[in-house]
Amino acid sequence: VAQAENANPLYLSYKNGFNEFIPITAKKTIASDIQIGNPVSYKKAVSVLKEMNGIVEQASEEEIADASAMADKNGLFTCPHTGAALAVLLKLMSKRMISFESRVVVISTAHGLKFPEFKLKYHKGEFDFESKFKNLFVELPADTGKVMEEVEKQISLRRKKYS
């Protein structure tokens, strides 16, 4: 289970072996749809986690945003909630709790187009943290030819960079 650090009651309960659950007041998070401090299905989630020997981990705002941007650079256009799941995946891989050879499925429940403010704020560097994977904006006139020229230029630059 992936939770945002700003809304992490299941993670906190997991850390104490599910011996106690204390609802929290969730703080604002860029992963707004998982900004839950008192999950309704807590008991059911814990039951499944125990049965499946599951793990609960959290991701900071920076980790969420960076993971989402990293995925975008690889052809996806993710929502911040998927960013939380991807950030936790990366964290568990770095801790060797998931091997690099493993096949992992991360279900994306929304698309980046639903969160344009999040994307713009990240790429403009307007968060309280460094946007490590930001793409710089290129302003172009409303001219198909100019847009195609820029796309071809960017593709050429990337080919040179990776060849």
Side-chain angles (χ1 to χ4, degrees), residues 82-151:
T82 301
L86 293 169
V88 164
L89 171 63
L90 293 170
K91 189 179 277 191
L92 294 176
M93 289 174 72
S94 72
K95 292 179 178 181
R96 304 281 193 249
M97 295 175 82
I98 296 175
S99 76
F100 289 96
E101 294 80 30
S102 295
R103 286 188 171 195
V104 178
V105 175
V106 174
I107 298 170
S108 182
T109 58
H111 193 278
L113 289 175
K114 290 177 66 178
F115 302 90
E117 298 84 15
F118 160 69
K119 297 295 186 180
L120 289 171
K121 194 171 180 180
Y122 181 87
H123 293 291
K124 287 182 176 181
E126 294 176 353
F127 282 113
D128 293 336
F129 49 80
E130 178 192 355
S131 298
K132 293 181 189 95
F133 302 101
K134 70 181 175 185
N135 287 317
L136 301 177
F137 288 86
V138 177
E139 290 192 36
L140 299 169
D143 177 312
T144 307
K146 295 287 184 193
V147 171
M148 288 307 298
E149 282 177 31
E150 185 62 30
V151 168

Side-chain angles (χ1 to χ4, degrees), residues 59-70:
S60 70
E61 298 295 284
E62 182 175 4
E63 290 169 330
I64 292 168
D66 284 344
S68 182
M70 190 184 318

